[in-house]
Amino acid sequence: MANRDVRLTLWSGTNFSVRRIRLRRGGVAIRDLGAFRFNNVLSSFRLRNVVQSAEVTLVLFSRINFQGSYRVYRGSQSVANLGSFDNLTSSLIVVGRNLTNAEITQIQSTGRPPQDILVIRQ
């Protein structure tokens, strides 16, 4: 299963610094980053699929339950500074495939993440 190969590390500081949360076991939907005391503090991250580097998507949402404005990152990458989205993330979804824009719009309108991933609530 592709979700098994996903790795995501989040940092509260730019340039991969300060507090860190590491997700190593696959696709995850976090409805409220307050569950980790990480609401509105995300500043940098590293995202990868260890088997197929192009097959991973991270969607950051500005409000809980996958609402508000969002940013999409596809493919393995390291982002040292979220720029205008710095300290704005309240929920996120990461999966081991490329989500389409239509799928992301559907997630936002229904509040339901893709199936077969771990969902974390507050």
Side-chain angles (χ1 to χ4, degrees):
M1 218 176 202
N3 283 327
R4 233 184 3 213
D5 305 323
V6 173
R7 307 292 185 269
L8 174 65
T9 307
L10 310 169
W11 279 273
S12 62
T14 58
N15 297 312
F16 319 110
S17 64
V18 194
R19 189 164 169 241
R20 175 183 73 190
I21 294 176
R22 189 177 284 168
L23 304 171
R24 296 185 256 185
R25 304 273 330 210
V28 176
I30 303 174
R31 289 192 172 278
D32 183 349
L33 280 164
F36 295 97
R37 294 187 349 237
F38 221 76
N39 189 39
N40 294 328
V41 299
L42 179 64
S43 293
S44 57
F45 68 85
R46 286 198 173 112
L47 170 67
R48 68 186 177 123
N49 182 321
V50 297
V51 174
Q52 293 181 299
S53 64
E55 295 296 316
V56 63
T57 303
L58 171 65
V59 187
L60 306 176
F61 296 90
S62 64
R63 294 181 47 214
I64 64 169
N65 293 318
F66 323 122
Q67 300 297 303
S69 58
Y70 61 89
R71 297 292 181 275
V72 180
Y73 301 88
R74 292 181 180 95
S76 297
Q77 58 189 292
S78 295
V79 176
N81 186 334
L82 288 173
S84 64
F85 216 69
D86 186 44
N87 295 326
L88 292 180
T89 304
S90 292
S91 58
L92 66 81
I93 293 175
V94 61
V95 295
R97 63 185 177 88
N98 286 325
L99 291 175
T100 66
N101 291 340
E103 287 174 304
I104 294 166
T105 299
Q106 172 106 11
I107 290 165
Q108 192 176 38
S109 67
T110 64
R112 284 185 300 216
Q115 294 183 1
D116 78 342
I117 62 173
L118 174 68
V119 179
I120 299 173
R121 297 170 171 82
Q122 168 106 8

